[in-house]
């Protein structure tokens, strides 16, 4: 249920509604918005009668929310959510470009790529430290050491970091070290991890599971929001289908569907979505045209020697080419792409 209040409602009136919600055993969430004051209710098992609230001072309406996901739905908040990371925004007019290697492999590797990316205008550096690999014999990441190298490289280049949290065991460490916390496709259904991420106050990049429906993705986002963290960025990264020429099938339908159903920003990962470096550029462009708020792309200085996902990683020169194309496309679709910042790389 969503309780709407007069724009001029006093703090006491807002507190009165929240107290009523709590007295019924439910949780009250103040929904930020420029147009109205709204309080979302979660924790109710069935229908809640609007009569509990309609007579309270300041309340103008109490409307049921029909979707199973509540706090992340457009019904509850009609304006797009914009997530701030330092001075940079995710979900605004500027496309968010997150780039970097699949895994942090060494101090020099991540620093080299960080400086090159900064030069190209990128603001977010990705790099896995705790890697969830399909084989126990594959490179599992540099773990804590990788987190430190990523932080150091990002600080030196002036970038924000994005890295994956693999389980609740390393959560505190990852949350302390990174600016954006990534939940990988394999963990989209890890509800205890999602609830823990609901208690932090940093943005979470939630990737779609490879066999998850869009509704399940939104329900996983709801797990995070239900615990009080509304800084969530969704990511379409391809789903498993019968097709074998690509690693996954990048479901670009998800972009406009999510935009219709949710106020959260959504970005696209064409690297995992295709599994082939030569498909990354066309699908990245398609994603942006479909309305994605940004991209997360694997970039490696030497893909042939990468310890993970080299086959789908772009060389920096190809990635630079993609950014140029996105700047041109931006003019057509009414979005901007970060401009180059010359003179950072030695
Ligand atoms: C990754 O981003 O390197 C990754 C493992 O992605 P996903 O969880 O989408 O497979
Ligand atoms: Mn990868």
């Amino acid at each position: 249920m969503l309780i709407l209040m007069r724009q001029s409602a006093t703090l006491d009136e807002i507190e009165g509604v929240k107290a009523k919600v709590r007295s019924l055993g439910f949780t009250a969430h103040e929904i930020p918005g420029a147009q109205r004051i709204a309080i979302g209710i979660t924790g109710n098992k069935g229908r809640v009668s609007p009569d509990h609230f309609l007579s309270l001072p300041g309340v103008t309406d109490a409307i049921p929310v029909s979707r199973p996901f509540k706090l992340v739905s457009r019904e509850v908040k009609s304006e797009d959510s914009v997530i701030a990371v330092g001075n940079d925004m995710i979900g605004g007019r500027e496309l968010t470009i997150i780039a970097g290697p699949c895994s942090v492999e060494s101090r020099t590797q991540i620093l080299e790529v960080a400086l090159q990316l900064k030069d190209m205008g990128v603001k977010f550096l990705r790099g896995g430290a705790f890697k969830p690999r399909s084989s126990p014999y594959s490179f599992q990441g540099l773990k804590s050491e990788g987190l430190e190298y990523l932080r150091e490289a990002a600080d030196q280049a002036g970038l924000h970091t994005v890295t994956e949290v693999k389980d609740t065991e390393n959560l505190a460490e990852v949350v302390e070290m990174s600016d954006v916390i990534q939940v990988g496709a394999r963990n989209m259904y890890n509800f205890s991890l999602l609830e823990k991420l609901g208690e932090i106050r940093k943005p979470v990049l939630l990737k779609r599971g490879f066999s998850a429906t869009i509704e399940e993705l939104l329900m996983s986002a709801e797990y995070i929001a239900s615990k009080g963290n509304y800084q969530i960025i969704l990511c379409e990264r391809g789903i498993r289908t019968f097709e074998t020429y690509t690693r996954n099938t990048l479901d670009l339908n998800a972009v406009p569907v999510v935009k219709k159903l949710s106020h959260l920003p959504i970005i696209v990962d064409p690297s995992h979505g295709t599994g082939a470096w030569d498909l990354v550029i066309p699908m990245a462009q398609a994603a942006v045209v479909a309305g994605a708020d940004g991209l997360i792309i694997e970039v490696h200085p030497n893909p042939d020697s990468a310890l993970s996902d080299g086959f789908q990683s772009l060389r920096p020169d190809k990635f630079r080419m993609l950014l140029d194309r996105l700047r041109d496309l931006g003019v057509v679709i009414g979005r901007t792409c970060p401009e180059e910042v010359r003179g950072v790389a030695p």
Side-chain angles (χ1 to χ4, degrees), residues 42-64:
T42 60
N44 49 304
K45 298 282 175 279
R47 186 181 169 276
V48 183
S49 168
D51 298 340
H52 290 301
F53 307 101
L54 287 173
S55 58
L56 296 179
V59 172
T60 55
D61 207 354
I63 45 180

Side-chain angles (χ1 to χ4, degrees), residues 101-103 126-128 130-133 164 182-187 207-208 210 235-238 247-248 269 272-273 296 298 308-309 312:
C102 178
S103 304
R126 64 149 291 150
F130 293 93
K131 294 300 299 176
R133 305 305 301 282
E164 180 164 354
Q182 176 176 324
V183 176
R186 292 157 189 79
N187 261 324
K207 296 187 99 177
R208 179 179 181 184
F210 33 68
C235 179
E236 164 58 42
R237 49 77 71 206
R247 181 179 182 183
N248 290 291
D269 175 350
H272 294 87
I296 178 166
E298 290 184 336
S308 60
D309 288 355
Q312 64 189 35

